[in-house]
Amino acid sequence: MPSGVAVLTDRLLTKGPLDRVVARAVAGGVRWVVLREKDLPRAERSALAAGLRAILTEVGGTLIVAGPDPLDGDAVHLPAAGPYPPPTHPLVGRSCHNEAELHRLTTEHYATLSPVYPTRTKPGYGPPLGPDGLHKLIEASGVPILALGGIETPDQVTACVQAGAVGVAVLGAIMRAEDPTEAAATLTGAFKEAVTPMTKTRRRGAEVPTTQPSTATKEAR
C-alpha cells in the first residue's frame, strides 16, 4: 500500500531526462512513483515505464501507472471519472476530491485526495481542502488516503500526516527541483519524523493484557 512520499511524473517540468530525475528522487528516499505522461504514444510510454520500473526494482520500490493500462507496472491509478468498476489488479488507486467520490469507491485499495493546498500544476483547481478538510474526508473514507496537491514543504507534509494521510503525493516539488535528491530527502525525512510519534502512540495503545485483545485485533478477526 502506498505510504511516505509518492512522486507523480511530469517530464515537461523537469530540468533533465525524466528517468534521471526519478533516479535522483529514489536516491533521496522515494519508493513510490506514479507514471503520468498520458500524451505519449503507448509504445513510448511503455518503454518509459520499463525504465522507471527497473530503477524502482533495485530499491524494492513500486511503479504505479496512471490509467487503466498497467504497462507491466505494479499498480494502476484511475481518475475520478472512471472506469467503473475498476479493473482487476493487485493494487488499484483512485483520484478523489470530495466525499461523494469517496463513496463511489468499491474494490480500490487506496485513494488520493486533492487539492490539499493551492497548486501551480493545476492553478485554480479547488478550492483547496486544507488540513482540516483533508482530515474530515479521511474520516469518511473506507480506504487509506494519500494527500495530493501543492505539497512542497516539510510543514505541509507534517500537517497531512497529522490529518490522517498515510502519505503524500507530490509533483512539482520534485519535478521542478534543482536537486531532486535533496528535495526528496527533505520531504521523506519530514514524513518519517511526523509518523514517529504517532507510531509510538499506537504502540503504547496496543499494550493491553494478553487476555484482553486490542480493538485492532478484534477488527482483524
Side-chain angles (χ1 to χ4, degrees):
M1 197 64 63
S3 64
V5 176
V7 171
L8 284 68
T9 71
D10 189 335
R11 72 190 189 286
L12 301 180
L13 297 181
T14 63
K15 302 183 185 302
L18 181 60
D19 58 349
R20 189 174 302 171
V21 172
V22 169
R24 294 178 68 184
V26 167
V30 166
R31 295 296 180 265
W32 297 86
V33 173
V34 182
L35 173 63
R36 296 166 73 244
E37 319 308 325
K38 294 183 180 181
D39 60 312
L40 289 176
R42 187 182 187 279
E44 290 184 31
R45 194 166 181 245
S46 182
L48 182 56
L52 298 186
R53 188 175 186 184
I55 293 169
L56 287 160
T57 298
E58 290 184 359
V59 296
T62 301
L63 177 66
I64 302 173
V65 177
D69 185 348
L71 298 176
D72 291 325
D74 305 297
V76 294
H77 187 87
L78 308 173
Y84 288 96
T88 300
H89 197 279
L91 182 59
V92 178
R94 173 90 65 182
S95 295
C96 293
H97 312 88
N98 52 53
E99 190 167 348
E101 291 176 351
L102 286 173
H103 287 167
R104 291 183 67 183
L105 300 177
T106 54
T107 58
E108 292 89 341
H109 302 96
Y110 75 94
T112 59
L113 276 173
S114 65
V116 180
Y117 298 100
T119 170
R120 287 186 286 168
T121 303
K122 293 184 177 181
Y125 195 79
L129 297 169
D132 290 341
L134 175 65
H135 175 67
K136 291 177 181 178
L137 288 179
I138 287 175
E139 287 192 321
S141 174
V143 298
I145 294 296
L146 290 176
L148 169 65
I151 300 168
E152 298 186 353
T153 69
D155 286 346
Q156 290 172 327
V157 172
T158 299
C160 291
V161 172
Q162 292 175 343
V166 298
V168 298
V170 302
L171 192 155
I174 302 295
M175 294 292 107
R176 294 189 184 97
E178 293 289 342
D179 186 340
T181 299
E182 181 181 358
T186 297
L187 296 179
T188 55
F191 175 81
K192 291 175 181 177
E193 288 184 11
V195 299
T196 297
M198 297 177 67
T199 302
K200 290 181 179 179
T201 298
R202 293 192 187 104
R203 286 175 178 171
R204 285 198 296 270
E207 291 174 358
V208 295
T210 55
T211 56
Q212 298 290 330
S214 67
T215 301
T217 302
K218 292 178 181 178
E219 291 177 351
R221 293 175 180 171

